[in-house]
Structure formats: C-alpha cells, structure tokens
C-alpha cells in the first residue's frame, strides 16, 4: 500500500516536474544565424588542467597545456570559453564544458542549451475597417509562433506602447486621436518594425455600399413618414371642414324645419326672397306653389283669399329684415 502511494506520488511529482520543464525557457542562449558567439564559461588558471567541450555529447574540443587533440586552440580563450563562428541552425543544442584536475577529479563543469534563430522578417501592417465602429490592425509575419509583438501609437507628439498582441483593435474615436501606427515583431535575437500606417476608415466610410444603402433607406423612410403626415393633416382638415359644414347645414335645416313647422308657407317665401337676388327663375320654379299663389294672387285679389294676401304682402315687405322667426307668431291664421 505504501509502495503504491509512493509510486503514485512519484508519478505526480514527475508530472509536475514535466510541467515546470515545459514552462521553462527551452534555451539558455539564443543566437542569430551567421552570428559569432562566445559561450560564457570562465575558469581562472586553466594551466595544467584538461579542458573538454562537448556539443550534444560529441567532443568538439579537448586540450591540455597547448596540446589540442580536438578542435582549434584559437577557439578557446584564456579562461576556457569557446568561440563559435558563423552559427548555423545545426549549431544549436547543448554545450558542455568540463575542466579536469591533474588527479582526474572534475574541477568545474558548465552546460548550456543554445538556440539559433533566424532574423525576423519586416512585418506588414495592414488594417481593416469594421462596420464604422472599429479599426483592426494586423501585424503580418510569415511565422508568428514564438514571436512577440509590440505597437507604437503616435498620438500627436506622444508615443504610446501598450499592446502586445498580433492584432490591435481600436475604435474610430481612438483613431481620431491616434494619428498613426507601427508594429514591431521580435524574437529573442532580432526585432523589426513595420512601416508607419495611418488608417483612413472614416473619410471613405468602411463599407461604402452599406452606408449608401442605409442612407437611402433612411431617406425613403423619412419621405414616407412625411407623406403620411401630410395625408393625415389633409384628411383631418377635410374632416373638420366637412363636419363644420354639416353642422352648419344641420343647424340651418333645423332652423328651416322649425320654421316650416311654424309657418310652412312663409318660410319658403322668405328663402326665395333671399335667392331672388341671384337666381330668381330657379327660386320661382323651385317653389311652384308660392309662384302659383303669387301668380293667382293678382287674379283672386278681390274676394278669394284676402287674409292670405295680406299675410303674403306682409311677408314680402319685411323680408329684407332677416328675422323670419319673429314674424312666425304673427301668421298663425294659415
Ligand atoms: C565572425 O568572426 C569572423 C572571424 O573572426 C569574422 O570574419 C566575422 O566578420 C564575424 N562575424 C560577425 C557577424 O561578427
Ligand atoms: C585533486 O586536485 C584538486 C586540486 O588540484 C584538489 O583540490 C583535490 O582535493 C584533489 N582530489 C583528490 C581526490 O586528490
Ligand atoms: C547541466 O547542468 C546541470 C547542473 O548545473 C545539470 O543538472 C544538468 O543535468 C546538466 N545537463 C546536461 C544535459 O548535462
């Protein structure tokens, strides 16, 4: 049981160790292709000691007191450091130095892993305008793995460096403040800066087609609304006028009705008196009874209807005075 627990613990421990190893920087030293590099090993008083350099366990230098069996003496400094010339990708790996005492005991050891990297290419800074709200800048490089990005934003005079992602998203409002951009891409041994880019997203709106469409849609909507409003106003005005006319007509009708009830003969006469000024013939034809009576009146003036005649005569005389109602009770004899 204890054995199982110990095994389990060991497994877990080794797992943790693996994790920490994965997080650890894989290289102690970084160098650019074609570069000359001196490995940082120092042993004072080399003298009679043996010096051995290995690259990935292969001996590349072995010497003692000027006797060199492997490699070149000029590659080794007085303190035992190794000079590497014109580095290639094949030069990468683990280098180890061992200094051995004359009594065959180890005096000093050193090791270090070297990574050889290519120079980063100059990035191409591009941008896209996203629906009038954002500008997305992209720092384009061929192989972005393991590279670090940085941005320089030129705001009037100031320079601001904050972002470290490959893409940078800024709002149009920010874009008005920030004049121009450069992005830089770097690996452990080199850094390159893009050309300065000044995005122009607002002057020609990002998607001009969409904007045009929305504008036309807006215009059409506004026009339609205006038309509907105009129609409504017209309809309301017409309704009000019609209503006023109707109420006026109704009132007149009611007045006429009441007059007719009171004096069915006189009121038409009164109306004809008003209308005779404009169209006397129509008024006469429209009221044939009155006409007939008027016509017959001179003939039957003598004895047939003296009361009626007097009433008519009386009705005709005050007709310019627009008060037919007051006249009403005066003629109850019909
Ligand atoms: C590397 O060293 C060699 C010889 O010492 C020299 O010719 C060359 O210019 C050096 N290269 C660099 C990049 O310094
Ligand atoms: C070997 O030599 C070194 C110095 O030269 C000394 O410090 C060390 O004690 C010696 N070891 C043995 C086992 O003799
Ligand atoms: C490098 O040296 C360290 C101690 O400094 C040692 O733990 C490690 O195993 C060595 N690596 C190699 C590959 O020899």
């Amino acid at each position: 049981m204890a054995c199982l627990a110990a095994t389990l613990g060991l497994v877990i421990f080794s797992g943790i160790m693996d994790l920490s190893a994965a997080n650890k920087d894989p290289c102690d030293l970084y160098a650019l292709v074609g570069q000359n590099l001196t490995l940082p090993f120092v042993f004072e008083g080399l003298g009679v000691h043996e010096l051995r350099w290995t690259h990935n366990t292969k001996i590349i230098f072995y010497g003692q007191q000027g006797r060199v069996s492997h490699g070149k003496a000029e590659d080794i400094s007085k303190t035992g450091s190794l000079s590497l010339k014109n580095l290639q990708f094949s030069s990468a790996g683990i280098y180890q130095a061992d200094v051995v005492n004359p009594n065959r005991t180890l005096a000093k050891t050193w090791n270090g892993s070297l990574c050889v990297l290519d120079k980063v290419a100059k990035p191409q800074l591009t941008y896209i305008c996203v629906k009038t709200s954002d500008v997305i800048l992209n720092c384009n490089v061929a192989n972005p793995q393991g590279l670090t990005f940085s941005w320089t934003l030129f705001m009037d005079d100031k320079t601001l460096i904050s972002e470290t992602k490959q893409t940078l998203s800024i709002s149009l409002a920010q874009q008005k403040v920030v004049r121009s951009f450069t992005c830089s891409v770097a690996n452990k041994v080199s850094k390159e800066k893009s050309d300065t880019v000044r995005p122009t997203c607002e002057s020609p709106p990002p998607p001009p087609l969409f904007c045009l469409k929305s504008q036309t849609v807006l215009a059409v909507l506004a026009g339609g609304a205006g038309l509907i409003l105009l129609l409504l106003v017209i309809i309301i005005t017409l309704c009000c006028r019609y209503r006023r006319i109707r109420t006026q007509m109704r009132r007149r009708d009611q007045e006429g009705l009441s007059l007719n009830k009171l004096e069915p003969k006189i009121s038409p006469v009164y109306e004809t008196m008003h209308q005779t000024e404009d169209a006397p013939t129509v008024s006469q034809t429209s009221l044939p009874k009155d006409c007939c009576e008027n016509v017959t009146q001179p003939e039957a003036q003598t004895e047939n209807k003296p009361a009626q005649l007097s009433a008519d005569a009386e009705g005709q005389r005050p007709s310019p005075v627009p008060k037919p109602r007051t006249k009403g009770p005066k003629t109850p004899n019909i």
Side-chain angles (χ1 to χ4, degrees):
M1 198 63 198
C3 184
L4 189 78
T7 315
L8 209 71
L10 199 72
V11 165
I12 289 165
F13 180 73
S14 61
I16 288 162
M17 285 302 283
D18 277 357
L19 267 174
S20 66
N23 287 337
K24 200 187 153 224
D25 196 327
C27 307
D28 303 311
L29 301 160
Y30 289 92
L32 197 65
V33 176
Q35 191 189 332
N36 296 338
L37 179 76
T38 298
L39 295 173
F41 173 74
V42 176
F43 184 84
E44 298 292 345
L46 209 54
V48 290
H49 298 83
E50 274 180 23
L51 176 67
R52 188 177 64 213
W53 274 100
T54 57
H55 175 222
N56 294 334
T57 69
K58 180 180 167 249
I59 294 170
I60 51 169
F61 179 85
Y62 188 86
Q64 184 194 24
Q65 282 190 327
R67 287 188 290 112
V68 176
S69 56
H70 282 90
K72 294 176 202 158
E74 66 258 35
D75 292 345
I76 303 295
S77 74
K78 277 194 172 141
T79 59
S81 58
L82 177 67
S83 234
L84 300 170
K85 303 251 164 61
N86 191 20
L87 284 172
Q88 302 303 309
F89 289 113
S90 59
S91 310
I94 291 160
Y95 287 86
Q96 183 166 339
D98 294 304
V99 177
V100 181
N101 288 315
N103 60 13
R104 309 307 306 157
T105 59
L106 194 65
K108 192 174 183 179
T109 184
W110 174 91
N111 69 53
S113 56
L114 172 70
C115 288
V116 179
L117 298 174
D118 215 346
K119 202 178 165 217
V120 285
K122 182 179 176 171
Q124 298 296 312
L125 180 51
T126 58
Y127 69 93
I128 46 165
C129 305
V130 185
K131 287 187 182 175
T132 71
S133 60
D134 279 341
V135 186
I136 293 175
L137 297 116
N138 192 38
C139 200
N140 298 285
V141 277
N143 290 306
Q145 295 97 329
L147 301 180
T148 54
F149 294 89
S150 60
W151 294 85
T152 307
L153 321 178
F154 300 100
M155 301 166 71
D156 298 327
D157 296 337
K158 287 177 277 177
T159 301
L160 193 134
I161 304 162
S162 54
E163 290 296 323
T164 53
K165 290 185 205 125
Q166 191 178 4
T167 55
L168 177 70
S169 181
I170 58 150
S171 69
L172 276 180
Q174 284 176 297
Q175 191 218 312
K176 280 174 189 158
V177 181
V178 182
R179 303 291 164 138
S180 47
F181 302 81
T182 56
C183 78
S184 297
V185 62
N187 60 15
K188 297 278 183 184
V189 291
S190 64
K191 185 171 183 173
E192 278 291 328
K193 195 188 248 183
S194 76
D195 289 332
T196 303
V197 166
R198 188 170 184 161
T200 49
C201 278
E202 49 199 342
S203 40
L209 249 169
F210 176 77
C211 272
L212 211 79
K213 265 182 190 166
S214 73
Q215 269 173 5
T216 42
V217 162
L218 264 176
V220 164
L221 277 174
L227 215 72
I228 286 166
L229 208 76
L230 197 74
L231 273 170
L232 268 170
V233 165
I234 288 168
I235 286 165
I236 287 166
T237 317
L238 281 175
C239 271
C240 285
R241 284 189 73 170
Y242 177 70
R243 221 169 160 172
R244 206 187 305 155
I245 286 164
R246 262 191 75 170
T247 47
Q248 272 179 358
M249 276 176 75
R250 198 178 296 160
R251 198 179 299 155
R252 200 179 283 176
D253 278 359
Q254 278 175 349
E255 278 174 6
L257 211 71
S258 61
L259 276 172
N260 274 344
K261 272 177 190 169
L262 285 167
E263 34 178 341
K265 287 264 159 60
I266 300 298
S267 70
V269 172
Y270 167 68
E271 276 190 355
T272 54
M273 297 317 287
H274 260 263
Q275 282 168 347
T276 40
E277 289 163 26
D278 295 318
T281 50
V282 174
S283 68
Q284 267 165 15
T285 48
S286 67
L287 300 157
K289 209 182 174 186
D290 291 303
C291 276
C292 278
E293 277 172 9
N294 280 341
V295 168
T296 50
Q297 269 159 21
E299 286 171 20
Q301 210 167 10
T302 47
E303 23 51 87
N304 219 2
K305 282 175 186 175
Q308 169 110 34
L309 187 76
S310 67
D312 272 284
E314 209 184 21
Q316 271 176 356
R317 216 184 307 128
S319 62
V321 181
K323 284 274 180 179
R325 203 172 278 179
T326 50
K327 203 162 36 109
K330 278 186 183 176
T331 53
N333 51 342
I334 300 149

